[in-house]
Amino acid sequence: MVVQELLFLSKQAVFQPPTAIRGGIPVCWPQFSDMGQAKTAHGFARNLTWEIEQQAPDAVTMTLVHSDATLAQYPHPFKITLAVVVGEGSLTQTFTVTNTGSAPMPFTAALHTYFRLHDASAAAVRGLQGVRYLDSLQQRKEVVDVESEVTFPGEVDRIYCNAPDELVVADGDGALMRVAKTSFPDVVVWNPAAAKAARMSDFGDDEWKEMICAEVAQAGSGPISLGPGEEWAATQVLEVVNS
Ligand code: BG6
């Protein structure tokens, strides 16, 4: 059996909280980027140690609840859960947010998937033609994407709003991954390219050639506000497409 890594992990990733791990699928919560009131970019969930609630050979459920440290920057009691199931050629994640407090709880979020590719400069993300995006490289200017696919000739950093629920990530060598989402309205597409890579201490200078991020998100469409006791769940399924 040939084992092939489909998710990217930087050789320079730091496995020491509160540093987020540069690779895999970090959970951005309670905010994507700066879209919320927390001080930390992409929120704090990716910087903290979660508890394992349930474990099986092909599945794991992890949880994180509020603490004094989280309440200091985000004054909301919460429980978040990530359930991961590994199938043959697929990975399913269900992300659940519960407001365990007594006031409305606003949040934005993303599952920040780092896809490992052979050649990002020849890669593409398909399924976003005609979708409006906020270009983070131009102060979040609104643009409608007229192209049939997103390509990576240089740095790309876009928040697509109300994107279709199915996308394809195509590697330069022809390999395809399908991304299917439910309840995450948005999709973020990112590759730092050479100059930004050189500024990132936990990322190799050339590693931008081996990855792109396609992130299912609740971001450009605005925050969710959960009432006391309410729960919100969203999923993504990553699937290898056999050609
Ligand atoms: C992406 C953002 O989701 O994450 C980018 O759109 C950002 O703007 C990237 O640079 C990485 O963020 P961080 O905080 O992990 O360096």
Side-chain angles (χ1 to χ4, degrees):
M1 188 174 68
V2 181
V3 175
Q4 195 189 336
E5 296 284 348
L6 297 172
L7 294 178
F8 168 86
L9 176 67
S10 171
K11 292 191 178 70
Q12 292 173 215
V14 177
F15 286 84
Q16 185 61 55
T19 304
I21 297 165
R22 180 68 68 197
I25 311 181
V27 175
C28 303
W29 193 86
Q31 71 195 38
F32 170 78
S33 183
D34 59 357
M35 294 177 160
Q37 63 191 104
K39 289 187 205 85
T40 323
H42 286 332
F44 46 70
R46 65 176 183 160
N47 304 343
L48 297 173
T49 303
W50 295 45
E51 297 290 326
I52 292 181
E53 196 175 73
Q54 273 186 321
Q55 216 172 347
D58 59 354
V60 62
T61 301
M62 295 162 275
T63 61
L64 182 72
V65 296
H66 60 90
S67 64
D68 289 347
T70 69
L71 291 170
Q73 60 166 315
Y74 179 71
H76 299 282
F78 66 83
K79 178 179 180 185
I80 58 175
T81 302
L82 185 69
V84 184
V85 179
V86 180
E88 211 167 300
S90 74
L91 183 85
T92 301
Q93 294 180 301
T94 305
F95 180 52
T96 309
V97 179
T98 310
N99 177 358
T100 56
S102 53
M105 185 176 87
F107 65 86
T108 57
L111 298 180
H112 195 305
T113 307
Y114 284 80
F115 290 93
R116 176 175 289 286
L117 304 176
H118 288 96
D119 182 5
S121 66
V125 177
R126 300 189 184 128
L128 295 168
Q129 189 171 30
V131 181
R132 181 178 61 92
Y133 66 87
L134 309 178
D135 190 344
S136 298
L137 303 179
Q138 299 186 73
Q139 289 79 46
R140 300 212 171 125
K141 182 180 148 186
E142 288 193 23
V143 182
V144 174
D145 196 345
V146 294
E147 305 295 339
S148 59
E149 53 184 31
V150 185
T151 55
F152 300 89
E155 186 177 356
V156 172
D157 196 353
R158 300 175 180 177
I159 303 165
Y160 285 84
C161 303
N162 296 308
D165 281 340
E166 203 169 297
L167 304 174
V168 170
V169 175
D171 197 350
D173 67 356
L176 302 176
M177 287 277 279
R178 184 182 296 123
V179 181
K181 64 179 175 63
T182 64
S183 299
F184 283 112
D186 308 326
V187 169
V188 179
V189 180
W190 178 61
N191 179 284
K196 184 159 180 175
R199 295 197 298 273
M200 291 160 59
S201 61
D202 59 348
F203 191 77
D205 286 356
D206 286 331
E207 287 187 323
W208 61 274
K209 296 175 182 169
E210 302 165 20
M211 54 69 70
I212 60 141
C213 289
E215 312 160 33
V216 295
Q218 175 77 48
S221 294
I224 293 280
S225 182
L226 279 186
E230 281 183 351
E231 186 178 287
W232 175 87
T235 63
Q236 84 163 344
V237 181
L238 309 180
E239 199 178 358
V240 175
V241 182
N242 293 314
S243 45

